[in-house]
Amino acid sequence: ILNVEQSPQSLHVQEGDSTNFTCSFPSSNFYALHWYRWETAKSPEALFVMTLNGDEKKKGRISATLNTKEGYSYLYIKGSQPEDSATYLCAFIGGGSNYKLTFGKGTLLTVNP
Amino acid sequence: NAGVTQTPKFQVLKTGQSMTLQCAQDMNHNSMYWYRQDPGMGLRLIYYSASEGTTDKGEVPNGYNVSRLNKREFSLRLESAAPSQTSVYFCASSEAAQGNTIYFGEGSWLTVV
């Protein structure tokens, strides 16, 4: 069973704060790393698919970086807004896993107005 | 934009009853998946179908069967429901199994009493 860890488990920030959280995954046999955003009572929505060491992706105020050699990815949110409140999931794919995603447990972000 | 549609949204079953969760996608995706989400756990893969005509076990397949009826539809069957199968079930699809973005349905809340 692959170990995909996300930290922190939960985070409360004030509107306007910038924040970041971490996804750790096995550094060997890397294929891809996904980030998803999951709002309560909705389905998870894809943010980024990252495949190359050093990848940086950006969508609006949200960005992500990838370090496959050390096995971590950071997700950054600049100037958090209440609508950013959600659970952020990362998912790892190893090359030897028949390309199946292994999800972390998520980071629950709450942005207070 | 229907995307991934799954039914039913809510179901209460008695222990030992059987039921089938239906899933259909209209994006012409090759790969489809069934996940379950339990409190304190990440999304866990039950079964997946990399392409029409194939199905494979995921991380937690016991107690479930699947059918890839055609390219659009992938059903999940509980033959004899147990309280441990109380969970939220998500169907998902992707263009191919090789690390592509996964698109999720809205979830099915199943309670087994």
Side-chain angles (χ1 to χ4, degrees):
Chain A
I1 296 176
L2 297 170
N3 209 21
V4 180
E5 299 285 342
Q6 291 190 246
S7 62
Q9 279 189 323
S10 64
L11 194 54
H12 290 253
V13 301
Q14 290 298 123
E15 183 175 355
D17 287 350
S18 293
T19 186
N20 67 86
F21 21 94
T22 307
C23 174
S24 301
F25 51 85
S27 56
S28 60
N29 210 18
F30 176 87
Y31 186 82
L33 193 284
H34 292 210
W35 281 99
Y36 291 83
R37 180 173 178 275
W38 192 2
E39 289 183 69
T40 303
K42 295 186 178 180
S43 53
E45 291 184 351
L47 287 172
F48 306 115
V49 176
M50 309 179 81
T51 56
L52 297 174
N53 184 45
D55 254 356
E56 290 189 31
K57 301 247 178 171
K58 188 174 180 182
K59 185 183 285 189
R61 293 178 291 98
I62 304 176
S63 60
T65 61
L66 178 68
N67 184 324
T68 61
K69 294 186 189 302
E70 296 182 44
Y72 65 84
S73 175
Y74 293 137
L75 190 78
Y76 300 91
I77 302 179
K78 185 177 177 183
S80 302
Q81 300 296 310
E83 57 265 30
D84 295 328
S85 297
T87 296
Y88 291 83
L89 297 171
C90 71
F92 167 81
I93 303 176
S97 62
N98 291 328
Y99 307 103
K100 290 177 288 187
L101 284 172
T102 299
F103 282 85
K105 295 179 183 178
T107 293
L108 174 60
L109 174 67
T110 304
V111 183
N112 300 311
Chain B
N1 288 344
V4 179
T5 305
Q6 56 182 108
T7 57
K9 198 168 179 71
F10 299 98
Q11 183 75 48
V12 179
L13 283 178
K14 292 183 179 178
T15 297
Q17 285 186 318
S18 61
M19 79 158 295
T20 300
L21 296 171
Q22 306 286 354
C23 176
Q25 51 89 11
D26 63 2
M27 296 174 280
N28 201 35
H29 284 168
N30 290 302
S31 302
M32 298 186 73
Y33 313 83
W34 277 104
Y35 289 90
R36 60 179 288 175
Q37 167 70 45
D38 300 295
M41 309 288 285
L43 285 161
R44 292 183 294 169
L45 184 64
I46 305 170
Y47 269 95
Y48 71 104
S49 171
S51 60
E52 186 179 357
T54 69
T55 60
D56 279 290
K57 295 178 181 179
E59 186 184 348
V60 288
N62 290 346
Y64 305 95
N65 285 304
V66 290
S67 296
R68 183 75 183 266
L69 303 168
N70 47 54
K71 192 172 185 179
R72 288 186 66 246
E73 298 173 286
F74 188 41
S75 62
L76 178 73
R77 182 160 179 84
L78 286 70
E79 291 291 351
S80 178
S84 60
Q85 293 178 303
T86 294
S87 189
V88 184
Y89 292 85
F90 287 93
C91 179
S93 71
S94 65
E95 190 171 329
Q98 285 82 2
N100 295 125
T101 297
I102 288 187
Y103 297 84
F104 287 87
E106 294 190 335
S108 296
W109 275 254
L110 176 65
T111 301
V112 183
V113 298

